[in-house]
Amino acid sequence: MIQFPQLALRRRLGQLTCMSRSALKLRSWPLTILYYLLPFAVLKPLVRVGWRPTSRVAIYKSVPTRLLSRAWGRLNQVELPTWLRKPVYQLYIWTFGVNMKEAAVEDLHQYRNLSEFFRRKLKPQARPVCDSHSVISPSDGKILHFGRVKNCEVEQVKGVTYSLESFLGPQTWTENQLHKTSFQDQLVTQEGNELYHCVIYLAPGDYHCFHSPTDWNVYHRRHFPGSLMSVNPGVARWIKELFCYNERVVLTGGWKHGFFSLTAVGATNVGSIQIYFDRGLQTNSPRYSKGSYNDLSYVTNNNQDGIVMRKGDQLGEFNLGSTIVLIFEAPKDFNFNLKPGQKIHFGEAVGSL
């Protein structure tokens, strides 16, 4: 089941009203079908007759999203006939507003399957990296929320929070901090610093690779198998701790101001999360234990620095759209250069001192 954001489709359908009747019939039918196949759209009649939203949440959680995502992943690998590639990709480009002028390969016939198209690379000059700010956006996307972490809770969207400890898991990577009572305090390594967060949502039409947001060392990877529910902002508003339910890969380490982490959160049809320097990582496996996680340390006797990343370095990729969550330590005078809901591109400023 392919999950298309309703807002994008509604905008496109709204534009159709300005067309001639013949053009309208030609272009509206595929989007109309997609719209009414959306999981939440088909549930609207039940809501009108008094079906409670909590019931909708319970049923949505019971959907086998991992199985569907694996099926979608296999479909993505099917090589399309050359004559079919352009119309299929053009429908996707038209629906989600993809800018193919930024793509390193603009010829649609060169993408053998949907997976190659989703993971397309950009021209080197398409995303200049900001040098004047210490933290940049690791990906294209939309800013859902940012700010200081308060009371061990992080906002996934405005007014809806999740537990910091549930999201990152037990703190085991720095033993000298375990004497502190608060999980949040355990992450802060330097006196006078605060803990900050930033949530970036990648829509299906965005550039799907993500990069290093700063100069830092990655010491540890924690992989949480889990659900693959949609991380669309509309869903994030009514499922509390959505990011804690979903499969995710947490990379933790340190930068010049202390603790730094980047978490790639999976979503429906995004079972594949790839970290370029971690070939052993396998996501969306058929079987897993609920609440389990797998740890891997990049620090060894011969390598005390872990994985050294520079700002803008390629880090990984999603198979479709998803979410990146940054949680990091910084001095109290750290300032975000963002606005809630703004569109941002990889390489643009997130904040600095």
Side-chain angles (χ1 to χ4, degrees):
M1 178 171 57
I2 306 174
Q3 193 164 13
F4 287 83
Q6 296 185 48
L7 182 57
L9 290 173
R10 284 172 177 169
R11 286 174 177 170
R12 294 299 183 187
L13 288 170
Q15 294 170 2
L16 294 173
T17 58
C18 300
M19 298 181 181
S20 65
R21 181 166 296 181
S22 58
L24 177 62
K25 289 182 178 179
L26 181 63
R27 296 187 66 180
S28 66
W29 71 265
L31 289 181
T32 302
I33 292 173
L34 290 173
Y35 180 84
Y36 285 104
L37 285 177
L38 290 173
F40 304 119
V42 299
L43 298 177
K44 284 180 180 178
L46 296 177
V47 175
R48 292 194 185 101
V49 296
W51 194 34
R52 297 179 61 83
T54 52
S55 301
R56 183 170 64 172
V57 171
I59 288 185
Y60 182 52
K61 286 181 179 179
S62 69
V63 173
T65 53
R66 294 177 64 85
L67 177 61
L68 294 172
S69 296
R70 284 196 298 274
W72 173 246
R74 292 180 180 178
L75 178 63
N76 285 349
Q77 300 296 329
V78 175
E79 185 168 342
L80 297 176
T82 304
W83 62 268
L84 187 59
R85 295 174 188 176
K86 190 171 182 178
V88 168
Y89 300 146
Q90 281 184 333
L91 176 62
Y92 188 92
I93 291 168
W94 178 72
T95 302
F96 296 110
V98 179
N99 184 4
M100 285 303 294
K101 292 183 179 180
E102 298 176 336
V105 178
E106 295 186 43
D107 183 5
L108 298 179
H109 293 102
Q110 297 300 313
Y111 298 100
R112 295 173 298 177
N113 52 48
L114 289 166
S115 179
E116 288 188 1
F117 179 71
F118 294 145
R119 297 181 292 108
R120 63 193 176 276
K121 304 299 182 183
L122 299 183
K123 296 173 182 175
Q125 66 275 19
R127 295 290 185 272
V129 174
C130 177
D131 293 326
S132 59
H133 288 70
S134 54
V135 181
I136 62 169
S137 175
S139 65
D140 288 8
K142 178 182 179 181
I143 301 296
L144 294 189
H145 208 274
F146 62 91
R148 292 186 181 183
V149 176
K150 299 178 181 179
N151 302 320
C152 295
E153 293 282 324
V154 183
E155 288 194 284
Q156 58 192 27
V157 292
K158 187 172 179 60
V160 182
T161 64
Y162 56 92
S163 163
L164 182 64
E165 186 170 6
S166 297
F167 182 67
L168 296 178
Q171 204 278 70
T172 58
W173 47 85
T174 52
E175 296 180 359
N176 60 334
Q177 296 291 99
L178 296 180
H179 66 280
K180 298 181 179 179
T181 56
S182 165
F183 182 82
Q184 181 174 334
D185 291 340
Q186 290 177 12
L187 299 180
V188 178
T189 62
Q190 300 181 23
E191 187 175 352
N193 281 0
E194 297 281 353
L195 205 61
Y196 298 86
H197 78 282
C198 180
V199 183
I200 305 171
Y201 167 69
L202 289 73
D206 288 327
Y207 170 54
H208 292 69
C209 298
F210 51 95
H211 300 246
S212 175
T214 192
D215 296 336
W216 65 310
N217 293 54
V218 185
Y219 299 140
H220 183 268
R221 180 259 284 168
R222 176 168 286 164
H223 171 218
F224 290 86
S227 300
L228 288 171
M229 293 182 284
S230 171
V231 292
N232 183 284
V235 180
R237 288 188 185 95
W238 53 267
I239 298 184
K240 183 177 173 61
E241 297 204 335
L242 170 64
F243 295 162
C244 298
Y245 287 117
N246 272 15
E247 182 158 13
R248 59 199 181 277
V249 177
V250 181
L251 301 178
T252 56
W255 70 320
K256 60 183 178 181
H257 299 297
F259 173 80
F260 199 97
S261 73
L262 180 149
T263 301
V265 183
T268 308
N269 302 329
V270 196
S272 174
I273 303 172
Q274 183 177 351
I275 304 297
Y276 294 142
F277 56 73
D278 192 340
R279 300 297 181 184
L281 175 65
Q282 292 185 345
T283 57
N284 197 13
S285 300
R287 295 182 180 180
Y288 74 98
S289 299
K290 188 175 182 179
S292 65
Y293 58 84
N294 305 306
D295 284 344
L296 176 67
S297 176
Y298 299 123
V299 177
T300 63
N301 292 332
N302 297 326
N303 178 20
Q304 294 296 314
D305 294 329
I307 306 296
V308 179
M309 301 297 298
R310 293 290 173 255
K311 184 167 62 175
D313 286 353
Q314 291 188 343
L315 187 53
E317 64 185 40
F318 293 109
N319 194 41
L320 196 54
S322 198
T323 299
I324 295 285
V325 180
L326 302 179
I327 299 175
F328 58 93
E329 172 186 359
K332 292 182 178 179
D333 57 349
F334 181 88
N335 293 311
F336 284 98
N337 188 40
L338 301 171
K339 295 180 180 179
Q342 81 170 71
K343 181 72 176 178
I344 197 167
H345 292 116
F346 153 62
E348 294 180 346
V350 165
S352 64
L353 299 171

